[in-house]
């Protein structure tokens, strides 16, 4: 048996079990990670995040070749123990954890490079919370039909890549959004090879106030089920609504999720448009558990 020290954290209700393993000495199996995330028999969370120095992981060493300053790798797995490329809420909580554990320093107004399976993510420390540059996004060219409990007919979705795969579905009203039962995974036709997080979104009325777009969203995350928030999903939802709204749509968005509010911005760069995600990151408590 292994006794493991952990910290519980969340970003707008999207919660995680965080463990420190700077030297890559821990060998957590998918079953052990799923046990940590179990809400009845473990700590409970939408995912598990291991803090390990990049040099101790093959994926981390590959990132270091391009970004030598990316000392830390966010080893993220979903609640079922399956690995995921990135987590927009998780990476803000991860940076907060590094700071609280004394593993990194980040003055207000400065940024830190974090290695992930999706590549480098730069996280900027704000006066309240953090903002993560999720990098270049893309339309993946797919529009699968989406069926979900509580949805009377299948709806077309828009496939968007934000480091990990998403399908965004537009709904007509708050009532339609509230009627969804996301306890069961939505069905996608065709089914994406790597699966996808599925976001259901309703534009506010009016859509834009003071130059900021406003939408409301619920999400079913692959490997975790419905969560109170999904950071990359919020970014994908804002990108989808802007895409549907046309060229006059704003580049700043406020995304309301069951767990709070997130900010999304689209920023032009020489290498293509980037999308950033901002919001809070909270650490709730620490403890020990025997696996």
């Amino acid at each position: 048996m292994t006794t493991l020290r952990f910290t519980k954290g969340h970003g707008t209700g999207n919660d995680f079990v965080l463990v420190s393993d700077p030297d890559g000495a821990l060998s957590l199996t998918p079953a052990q990670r799923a046990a940590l995330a179990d809400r009845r028999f473990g700590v409970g969370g939408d995912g598990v995040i291991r803090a390990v120095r990049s040099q101790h992981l093959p994926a981390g060493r590959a990132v270091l070749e391009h970004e030598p300053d990316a000392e830390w790798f966010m080893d993220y797995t979903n609640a079922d123990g399956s690995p995921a490329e990135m987590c927009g809420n998780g990476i803000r909580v991860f940076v907060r954890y590094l700071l609280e554990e004394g593993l990194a320093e980040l003055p207000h107004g400065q940024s830190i490079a974090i290695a992930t399976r999706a590549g480098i993510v730069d996280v900027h420390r704000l006066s309240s919370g953090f903002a993560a540059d999720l990098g270049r996004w893309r339309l993946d060219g797919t529009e699968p039909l989406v069926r979900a409990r509580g949805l009377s007919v299948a709806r077309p979705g828009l496939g968007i890549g934000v480091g990990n795969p998403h399908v965004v579905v537009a709904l007509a009203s708050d009532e339609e959004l509230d009627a969804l039962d996301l306890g069961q995974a939505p069905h996608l036709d065709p089914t994406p090879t790597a699966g996808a997080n599925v976001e259901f979104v309703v534009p506010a009325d009016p859509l834009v106030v003071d130059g900021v777009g406003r939408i409301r969203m619920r999400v079913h995350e692959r490997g975790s089920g419905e969560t109170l928030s999904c950071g990359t999903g919020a970014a994908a939802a804002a990108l989808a609504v802007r895409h549907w709204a046309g060229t006059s749509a704003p580049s700043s968005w406020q995304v309301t999720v069951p767990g709070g509010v997130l900010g999304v911005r689209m920023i032009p760069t020489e290498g293509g448009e980037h999308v950033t995600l901002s919001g809070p990151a909270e650490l709730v408590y620490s403890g020990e558990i025997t696996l």
Side-chain angles (χ1 to χ4, degrees), residues 4 7 15-34 36-37 46-61 63 70-79 81-95 97-98 103 113-119 121:
L4 191 66
T7 294
D15 59 342
F16 314 98
V17 183
L18 300 109
V19 296
S20 177
D21 183 24
D23 300 323
L26 287 176
S27 181
L28 292 175
T29 66
Q32 287 175 318
R33 293 170 184 257
L36 279 171
D46 295 324
V48 175
I49 301 175
R50 181 174 64 130
V52 58
R53 286 192 170 90
S54 298
Q55 63 182 324
H56 298 301
L57 293 175
R61 289 193 290 272
V63 171
E71 178 183 4
W72 291 98
F73 189 95
M74 184 180 78
D75 177 21
Y76 179 76
T77 50
N78 297 311
S82 60
E85 298 88 347
M86 235 290 289
C87 178
N89 287 321
I91 201 161
R92 299 194 318 276
V93 177
F94 178 71
V95 170
Y97 177 69
L98 292 179
L103 298 173
I114 300 297
T116 75
R117 293 185 183 90
V121 176

Side-chain angles (χ1 to χ4, degrees), residues 238-257:
L239 287 162
V241 174
R242 188 189 65 161
H243 173 75
W244 292 322
T247 56
S248 62
S251 294
S252 294
W253 292 82
Q254 183 183 83
V255 183
T256 299
V257 295

Side-chain angles (χ1 to χ4, degrees), residues 34-246:
L36 279 171
D38 191 292
R39 296 192 183 279
R40 293 176 177 83
F41 299 102
V43 180
D46 295 324
V48 175
I49 301 175
R50 181 174 64 130
V52 58
R53 286 192 170 90
S54 298
Q55 63 182 324
H56 298 301
L57 293 175
R61 289 193 290 272
V63 171
L64 284 173
E65 293 180 5
H66 305 285
E67 180 52 78
D69 292 334
E71 178 183 4
W72 291 98
F73 189 95
M74 184 180 78
D75 177 21
Y76 179 76
T77 50
N78 297 311
D80 65 356
S82 60
E85 298 88 347
M86 235 290 289
C87 178
N89 287 321
I91 201 161
R92 299 194 318 276
V93 177
F94 178 71
V95 170
R96 174 75 182 271
Y97 177 69
L98 292 179
L99 300 182
E100 294 294 327
E101 290 289 304
L103 298 173
E105 294 182 357
L106 184 61
H108 286 88
Q110 299 297 311
S111 297
I112 185 172
I114 300 297
T116 75
R117 293 185 183 90
I120 290 293
V121 176
D122 290 318
V123 180
H124 189 77
R125 190 172 187 182
L126 307 173
S127 57
S128 176
F130 299 86
D133 183 346
L134 304 180
R136 293 181 62 183
W137 65 279
R138 63 183 180 86
L139 293 172
D140 69 11
T142 67
E143 294 186 353
L145 280 178
V146 180
R147 294 176 174 84
R149 281 185 176 179
L151 200 60
S152 58
V153 295
R155 303 292 174 83
L158 183 66
I160 291 184
V162 192
N164 51 3
H166 295 267
V167 173
V168 183
V169 181
L171 300 183
S173 67
D174 286 330
E175 291 75 19
E176 197 171 34
L177 184 64
D178 292 336
L180 290 175
D181 176 1
L182 297 182
Q184 178 176 309
H187 177 74
L188 306 182
D189 182 19
T191 302
T193 303
N197 297 341
V198 184
E199 289 80 28
F200 297 88
V201 60
V202 174
D205 185 16
L207 176 63
V208 180
V209 174
D210 295 330
V212 178
R214 302 176 304 139
I215 57 176
R216 183 172 168 234
M217 182 194 88
R218 288 176 63 191
V219 58
H220 185 284
E221 295 195 56
R222 56 176 183 165
S224 295
E226 182 175 13
T227 59
L228 292 180
S229 179
C230 175
T232 54
L239 287 162
V241 174
R242 188 189 65 161
H243 173 75
W244 292 322

